[in-house]
Amino acid sequence: MTSQKTSQTMKPATAAKKLGVYLEATPEEFREAPVTRDQLNALQSDPPAWLRDLRRDGPHPKQVVAARLRVSIGGLTRAGVTDPLTTEQIDALKAENPDWLRRERETQAEVRREAERAKSQPE
């Protein structure tokens, strides 16, 4: 007797996070139904136009905004940046380079240097 294998599913929020997109900006049909592992793999290997557009133009979730600005998510929060930003808004922030952004980048660079130093220490 063989049992039928069911496909693993995930909530749309989890799939959006794995795809690096802001859930609220995805199409309604994506937000309303569970996503199977096979569907996620298909979206990653051959992204439809809406996914390519979201990845290119945004709005982007905070983890993507933080990565593009080279700061931590905590740094965004300290600066009061709590809403998703578009690529255009991120580029404008980079061009403006406000004090908070310089400070948070320095902090992030120091954290990375310290992590690298700790990693290279013999145990």
Side-chain angles (χ1 to χ4, degrees):
M1 182 189 256
T2 59
S3 62
Q4 200 171 35
K5 190 173 183 180
T6 59
S7 185
Q8 179 184 9
T9 62
M10 62 192 82
K11 293 178 183 176
T14 303
K17 188 171 185 174
K18 288 179 181 286
L19 292 169
V21 295
Y22 181 57
L23 178 63
E24 300 305 317
T26 60
E28 191 173 330
E29 60 271 10
F30 179 85
R31 287 178 291 193
E32 291 183 349
V35 178
T36 67
R37 176 66 60 188
D38 292 338
Q39 288 170 322
L40 179 68
N41 290 340
L43 287 169
Q44 288 174 324
S45 64
D46 186 23
W50 65 264
L51 182 54
R52 288 191 307 270
D53 292 345
L54 273 179
R55 286 177 169 169
R56 183 183 60 243
D57 303 325
H60 303 288
K62 62 185 167 194
Q63 67 268 20
V64 173
V65 173
R68 288 187 177 196
L69 290 174
R70 297 188 333 261
V71 300
S72 66
I73 292 172
L76 288 178
T77 304
R78 282 189 291 277
V81 179
T82 56
D83 294 330
L85 299 179
T86 63
T87 300
E88 188 176 312
Q89 291 169 314
I90 293 169
D91 291 343
L93 271 174
K94 286 179 180 178
E96 183 183 324
N97 201 19
D99 288 341
W100 71 263
L101 182 56
R102 284 193 300 276
R103 212 172 30 253
E104 291 300 335
R105 281 180 170 171
E106 289 169 10
T107 300
Q108 189 69 3
E110 181 60 36
V111 167
R112 286 186 183 124
R113 281 192 296 274
E114 180 59 27
E116 196 59 36
R117 186 195 64 75
K119 186 178 176 182
S120 65
Q121 292 289 342
E123 291 186 28

